[in-house]
């Protein structure tokens, strides 16, 4: 997605250790028009795939996920990074965040996901795929099917890309980074 | 907002201690069409108020905030409940969450908020106004003006409502709960 690649090049910052910071338009400040265009791309790709629910993990996935859900005309559910005491039927998994270097428990209420569901998982980033594998386990516990995965920015040289592609899931990344070459981003 | 009141009555659950759980359409599963209608209400109310940025706190405010920002054609910034190590110019405040019964540090990067900004603060709930007061302090530190506050659901019998109204800020709540009367919700 050309506009997204331009935003990454113009507004992204490369920190040490292959970390791309896009706080200017995706992870802290959010560009609503760009987000809507992302949603349009996800919609175009998945509109005939009988998606029943869009699922994301709080927080940065919520904006593209809600706009995609609006276009697909299905509910959106955001997986929580805490287990609220008021949640009646929690399903949870522990994942490791490499960025934050700690384990995080992710949680969804069974009430909102079932064996009837064909889920489109939307997230802001795909790197090692830890979050995705956690979601995969949660959906398995809920007997729901993952019908597609839509990622805003992936680093295709890390493990997540290959894992999802090899699992045969319908997958799209709107910007796919091949490598960081001395501060220059090379896209696939 | 009629549709929202209906959603609260049909899908909300009243837990002990005046806690309203709306995980079915606002706080966990999100109804995208209802969210868009919320955004339309916020847009109608604030469209002539020279808003330069929509600000919310992660996570449940993000969906209504991004859709409102899209309509107002301004960026959205979500305040974080952690201080990321990659944030260069953090401004932070500690607020008390009565629901979770713990202190939470909220944080925004100065880079995305300045004295040029006239902010519309959007949030899912207003009860005691702890979150709002934290945001007020953060905006003060950033020298930004709060030009309006848009709340999805307020409990007008708790302290937050009066605090905001008395401060003279342009304020709208899309659903305003007067009291819980033996399990029945009375709206203002």
């Amino acid at each position: 997605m050309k506009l997204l690649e331009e935003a990454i090049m113009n507004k992204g910052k490369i920190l040490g250790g292959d970390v791309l910071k896009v706080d200017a338009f995706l992870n802290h400040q959010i560009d609503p028009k760009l987000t809507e265009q992302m949603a349009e791309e996800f919609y175009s790709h998945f509109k005939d795939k009988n998606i029943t629910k869009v699922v994301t993990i709080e927080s940065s996935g919520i904006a593209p996920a809600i706009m995609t859900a609006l276009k697909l005309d299905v509910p959106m559910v955001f997986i929580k990074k805490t287990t609220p005491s008021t949640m009646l039927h929690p399903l949870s998994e522990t994942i490791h965040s490499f960025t934050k270097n700690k384990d995080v428990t992710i949680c969804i209420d069974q009430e909102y996901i079932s064996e009837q569901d064909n889920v489109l998982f939307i997230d802001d980033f795909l790197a090692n795929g830890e979050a995705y594998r956690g979601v995969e386990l949660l959906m398995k516990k809920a007997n729901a099917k993952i019908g597609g995965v839509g990622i805003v920015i992936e680093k295709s040289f890390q493990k997540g890309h290959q894992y999802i592609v090899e699992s045969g899931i319908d997958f799209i990344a709107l910007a796919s980074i091949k490598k960081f070459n001395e501060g220059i981003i090379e896209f696939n």
Side-chain angles (χ1 to χ4, degrees), chain A residues 74-133:
Chain A
V74 298
M76 187 271 266
V77 180
F78 67 91
I79 294 171
K80 306 211 172 195
K81 283 180 180 160
T82 54
T83 306
S85 58
T86 57
M87 198 180 274
L88 294 175
H89 309 287
L91 296 173
S92 64
E93 282 297 331
T94 301
I95 59 174
H96 185 74
S97 165
F98 286 96
T99 322
K100 292 176 184 160
N101 193 28
K102 65 173 184 178
D103 286 345
V104 179
T105 298
I106 60 169
C107 181
I108 195 166
D109 194 320
Q110 257 187 93
E111 199 168 338
Y112 304 117
I113 210 86
S114 78
E115 60 192 11
Q116 310 294 328
D117 284 316
N118 185 38
V119 163
L120 169 59
F121 176 64
I122 298 275
D123 212 0
D124 56 331
F125 264 96
L126 176 68
N128 284 294
E130 279 289 313
Y132 175 72
R133 275 198 297 278

Side-chain angles (χ1 to χ4, degrees), chain A residues 123-184:
Chain A
D123 212 0
D124 56 331
F125 264 96
L126 176 68
N128 284 294
E130 279 289 313
Y132 175 72
R133 275 198 297 278
V135 171
E136 200 178 29
L137 291 168
L138 277 185
M139 293 303 114
K140 203 166 184 174
K141 281 184 178 174
N143 297 310
K145 189 179 168 239
I146 299 180
V149 175
I151 298 291
V152 178
I153 303 173
E154 69 158 351
K155 293 187 277 186
S156 69
F157 55 90
Q158 289 185 291
K159 288 185 295 183
H161 174 93
Q162 195 178 350
Y163 179 82
I164 297 178
V165 168
E166 284 181 358
S167 73
I169 301 274
D170 189 351
F171 166 72
I172 182 177
L174 302 185
S176 177
I177 296 172
K178 192 176 178 179
K179 62 177 172 180
F180 296 103
N181 192 355
E182 292 176 9
I184 307 293

